[in-house]
């Protein structure tokens, strides 16, 4: 059950629509800018690409934030107990295990394919590229995506019940990552993060979950443990 706080007006459909439209526009712009990078340098593309979710998510959240409320607390910027943060970190580890199951199943059914090849290249490009891609992909991107997809989207949909707040918001989060093996993985992460948000009313456990999950992916990729590469 989501923690209620009647002192603050929460985000609604205006914030959802403004946030998601801005997200799509910024994502398309980012993709066009990536086209100007040298195609023979996957490490550089991976470093920049690892920050895309953070830049786009933060920009889309800023647009939604500016629409009406202009107060961070209604968007889930609320403190939680350390136990919730520890639980979120553990859930991130579980999410990584579920991710491996999904990816190996995909490989068994569909075959090869790696939509995140440039991210793997950055993680294995040496100490500095790994560090930069880790900061971008495991800290900045989780923060940007969570404040948008949980702080705005799941938050606003929660008023319609658990299915809308958790399942529907997770599907939206998955579709935002494209139609590939990443789709079911992103939906899985979205389900776990949205459930955490509904339970706590705070974006911070969601950010921790996402950071741990992405961080484990980056470390596994650097050591050659990623299923698809």
């Amino acid at each position: 059950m989501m923690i209620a706080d009647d002192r603050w007006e929460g985000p609604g459909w205006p914030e959802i629509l403004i946030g998601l439209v801005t997200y799509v526009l910024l994502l398309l712009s980012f993709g066009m800018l990536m086209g100007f990078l040298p195609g023979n340098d996957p490490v550089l593309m991976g470093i920049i690409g690892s920050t895309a979710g953070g830049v786009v998510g933060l920009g889309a959240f800023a647009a939604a934030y500016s629409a009406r409320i202009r107060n961070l607390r209604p968007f889930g910027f609320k403190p939680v107990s350390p136990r919730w943060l520890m639980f979120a970190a553990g859930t991130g580890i579980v999410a990584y295990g579920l991710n491996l199951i999904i990816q190996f199943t995909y490989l068994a059914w569909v075959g090869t394919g790696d939509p995140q090849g440039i991210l793997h290249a950055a993680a294995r490009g040496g100490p500095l590229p790994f560090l930069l891609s880790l900061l971008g992909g495991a800290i900045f991107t989780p923060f940007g995506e969570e404040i948008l997809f949980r702080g705005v989207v799941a938050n606003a949909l929660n008023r319609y019940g658990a299915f809308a707040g958790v399942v529907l918001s997770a599907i939206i989060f998955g579709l935002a990552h494209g139609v590939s093996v990443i789709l079911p993985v992103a939906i899985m992460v979205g389900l776990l993060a949205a459930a955490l948000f509904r339970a706590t009313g705070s974006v911070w456990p969601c950010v921790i979950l996402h950071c741990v999950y992405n961080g484990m992916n980056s470390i596994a990729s650097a050591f050659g443990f990623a299923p698809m590469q």
Side-chain angles (χ1 to χ4, degrees):
M1 181 177 181
M2 186 176 66
I3 296 175
D5 191 345
D6 296 333
R7 295 175 299 167
W8 305 99
E9 178 190 5
W13 282 106
E15 285 76 22
I16 290 179
L17 294 175
I18 291 172
L20 291 182
V21 168
T22 304
Y23 180 88
V24 171
L25 293 176
L26 289 176
L27 196 63
L28 291 174
S29 301
F30 211 99
M32 293 177 61
L33 291 174
M34 288 282 286
F36 291 101
L37 295 176
N40 59 350
D41 193 347
V43 173
L44 176 61
M45 294 182 68
I47 292 172
I48 296 176
S50 66
T51 67
V55 173
V56 173
L58 188 60
F61 173 81
Y65 171 86
S66 301
R68 293 186 307 163
I69 302 173
R70 300 181 185 178
N71 189 305
L72 289 176
R73 186 175 177 85
F75 291 97
F77 285 77
K78 306 173 185 178
V80 293
S81 71
R83 289 185 179 181
W84 273 116
L85 300 180
M86 293 176 62
F87 180 79
T91 306
I93 297 173
V94 171
Y96 179 73
L98 294 174
N99 156 68
L100 293 179
I101 295 173
I102 293 171
Q103 290 201 48
F104 280 121
T105 302
Y106 177 88
L107 284 174
W109 285 1
V110 179
T112 59
D114 187 2
Q116 295 186 319
I118 60 172
L119 303 184
H120 296 313
R124 298 192 300 268
L128 183 58
F130 169 73
L131 178 60
L132 293 175
S133 66
L134 184 68
L135 291 174
I139 297 178
F140 187 47
T141 285
F143 176 73
E145 291 187 344
E146 290 305 318
I147 62 175
L148 174 66
F149 288 100
R150 254 55 72 181
V152 176
V153 179
N155 193 355
L157 292 177
N158 265 328
R159 69 184 64 188
Y160 302 107
F163 180 83
V166 177
V167 179
L168 182 56
S169 72
I171 293 173
I172 294 171
F173 179 65
L175 291 173
H177 286 75
V179 181
S180 67
V181 65
I182 305 303
L183 175 62
V185 171
I187 290 176
M188 176 270 295
V189 173
L191 287 170
L192 296 174
L196 269 178
F197 184 84
R198 187 168 176 85
T200 65
S202 172
V203 297
W204 300 120
C206 311
V207 172
I208 293 296
L209 183 160
H210 205 152
C211 286
V212 170
Y213 168 78
N214 279 16
M216 292 187 69
N217 264 314
S218 295
I219 293 171
S221 178
F223 285 95
F225 295 148
M228 286 186 282
Q229 43 183 312

